[in-house]
mmCIF file of all heavy atoms in Angstrom:
data_model
loop_
_atom_site.group_PDB
_atom_site.id
_atom_site.type_symbol
_atom_site.label_atom_id
_atom_site.label_comp_id
_atom_site.label_asym_id
_atom_site.label_seq_id
_atom_site.Cartn_x
_atom_site.Cartn_y
_atom_site.Cartn_z
ATOM 1 N N LYS K 40 -17.278 -20.189 -64.381
ATOM 2 C CA LYS K 40 -17.509 -18.930 -63.662
ATOM 3 C C LYS K 40 -18.998 -18.618 -63.691
ATOM 4 O O LYS K 40 -19.727 -19.061 -64.576
ATOM 5 C CB LYS K 40 -16.769 -17.771 -64.337
ATOM 6 C CG LYS K 40 -15.292 -17.953 -64.474
ATOM 7 C CD LYS K 40 -14.583 -17.588 -63.227
ATOM 8 C CE LYS K 40 -13.080 -17.630 -63.463
ATOM 9 N NZ LYS K 40 -12.333 -17.429 -62.275
ATOM 10 N N LEU K 41 -19.447 -17.858 -62.727
ATOM 11 C CA LEU K 41 -20.820 -17.380 -62.699
ATOM 12 C C LEU K 41 -20.866 -16.130 -63.587
ATOM 13 O O LEU K 41 -20.386 -15.068 -63.202
ATOM 14 C CB LEU K 41 -21.247 -17.068 -61.269
ATOM 15 C CG LEU K 41 -22.724 -16.816 -61.035
ATOM 16 C CD1 LEU K 41 -23.564 -18.032 -61.403
ATOM 17 C CD2 LEU K 41 -22.965 -16.452 -59.582
ATOM 18 N N VAL K 42 -21.398 -16.301 -64.800
ATOM 19 C CA VAL K 42 -21.381 -15.250 -65.814
ATOM 20 C C VAL K 42 -22.680 -14.456 -65.767
ATOM 21 O O VAL K 42 -23.777 -15.022 -65.806
ATOM 22 C CB VAL K 42 -21.195 -15.845 -67.227
ATOM 23 C CG1 VAL K 42 -21.252 -14.756 -68.293
ATOM 24 C CG2 VAL K 42 -19.885 -16.611 -67.306
ATOM 25 N N VAL K 43 -22.523 -13.134 -65.696
ATOM 26 C CA VAL K 43 -23.660 -12.220 -65.716
ATOM 27 C C VAL K 43 -23.633 -11.473 -67.045
ATOM 28 O O VAL K 43 -22.572 -11.006 -67.469
ATOM 29 C CB VAL K 43 -23.586 -11.208 -64.551
ATOM 30 C CG1 VAL K 43 -24.775 -10.243 -64.597
ATOM 31 C CG2 VAL K 43 -23.520 -11.929 -63.216
ATOM 32 N N LEU K 44 -24.785 -11.363 -67.676
ATOM 33 C CA LEU K 44 -24.927 -10.588 -68.902
ATOM 34 C C LEU K 44 -25.819 -9.392 -68.626
ATOM 35 O O LEU K 44 -26.909 -9.536 -68.057
ATOM 36 C CB LEU K 44 -25.562 -11.425 -70.023
ATOM 37 C CG LEU K 44 -25.872 -10.652 -71.315
ATOM 38 C CD1 LEU K 44 -24.594 -10.252 -72.035
ATOM 39 C CD2 LEU K 44 -26.778 -11.471 -72.217
ATOM 40 N N ALA K 45 -25.338 -8.210 -68.994
ATOM 41 C CA ALA K 45 -26.141 -6.989 -68.978
ATOM 42 C C ALA K 45 -26.146 -6.456 -70.402
ATOM 43 O O ALA K 45 -25.226 -6.735 -71.171
ATOM 44 C CB ALA K 45 -25.539 -5.963 -68.022
ATOM 45 N N ASN K 46 -27.160 -5.701 -70.767
ATOM 46 C CA ASN K 46 -27.181 -5.171 -72.126
ATOM 47 C C ASN K 46 -27.856 -3.816 -72.185
ATOM 48 O O ASN K 46 -28.590 -3.435 -71.276
ATOM 49 C CB ASN K 46 -27.879 -6.143 -73.078
ATOM 50 C CG ASN K 46 -29.369 -6.223 -72.865
ATOM 51 O OD1 ASN K 46 -29.829 -6.821 -71.904
ATOM 52 N ND2 ASN K 46 -30.127 -5.609 -73.753
ATOM 53 N N GLY K 47 -27.590 -3.106 -73.264
ATOM 54 C CA GLY K 47 -28.222 -1.817 -73.479
ATOM 55 C C GLY K 47 -27.539 -1.037 -74.575
ATOM 56 O O GLY K 47 -26.553 -1.481 -75.156
ATOM 57 N N CYS K 48 -28.075 0.156 -74.826
ATOM 58 C CA CYS K 48 -27.504 1.048 -75.838
ATOM 59 C C CYS K 48 -26.307 1.807 -75.281
ATOM 60 O O CYS K 48 -25.334 2.034 -75.979
ATOM 61 C CB CYS K 48 -28.559 2.043 -76.315
ATOM 62 S SG CYS K 48 -29.994 1.257 -77.096
ATOM 63 N N PHE K 49 -26.403 2.253 -74.039
ATOM 64 C CA PHE K 49 -25.348 2.995 -73.357
ATOM 65 C C PHE K 49 -24.922 4.224 -74.157
ATOM 66 O O PHE K 49 -23.742 4.557 -74.246
ATOM 67 C CB PHE K 49 -24.148 2.095 -73.011
ATOM 68 C CG PHE K 49 -24.547 0.928 -72.166
ATOM 69 C CD1 PHE K 49 -24.726 -0.334 -72.718
ATOM 70 C CD2 PHE K 49 -24.798 1.103 -70.819
ATOM 71 C CE1 PHE K 49 -25.132 -1.404 -71.932
ATOM 72 C CE2 PHE K 49 -25.204 0.038 -70.015
ATOM 73 C CZ PHE K 49 -25.375 -1.214 -70.589
ATOM 74 N N ASP K 50 -25.909 4.893 -74.739
ATOM 75 C CA ASP K 50 -25.663 6.123 -75.473
ATOM 76 C C ASP K 50 -25.551 7.247 -74.450
ATOM 77 O O ASP K 50 -26.448 7.432 -73.630
ATOM 78 C CB ASP K 50 -26.827 6.386 -76.436
ATOM 79 C CG ASP K 50 -26.490 7.399 -77.497
ATOM 80 O OD1 ASP K 50 -25.310 7.763 -77.629
ATOM 81 O OD2 ASP K 50 -27.411 7.817 -78.220
ATOM 82 N N MET K 51 -24.450 7.968 -74.462
ATOM 83 C CA MET K 51 -24.165 8.993 -73.449
ATOM 84 C C MET K 51 -24.172 8.373 -72.050
ATOM 85 O O MET K 51 -25.120 8.519 -71.286
ATOM 86 C CB MET K 51 -25.151 10.156 -73.534
ATOM 87 C CG MET K 51 -24.995 10.974 -74.791
ATOM 88 S SD MET K 51 -25.951 12.483 -74.770
ATOM 89 C CE MET K 51 -25.314 13.298 -73.325
#
Side-chain angles (χ1 to χ4, degrees):
K40 303 277 187 186
L41 191 61
V42 177
V43 179
L44 175 69
N46 71 285
C48 299
F49 303 101
D50 196 11
M51 292 190 58

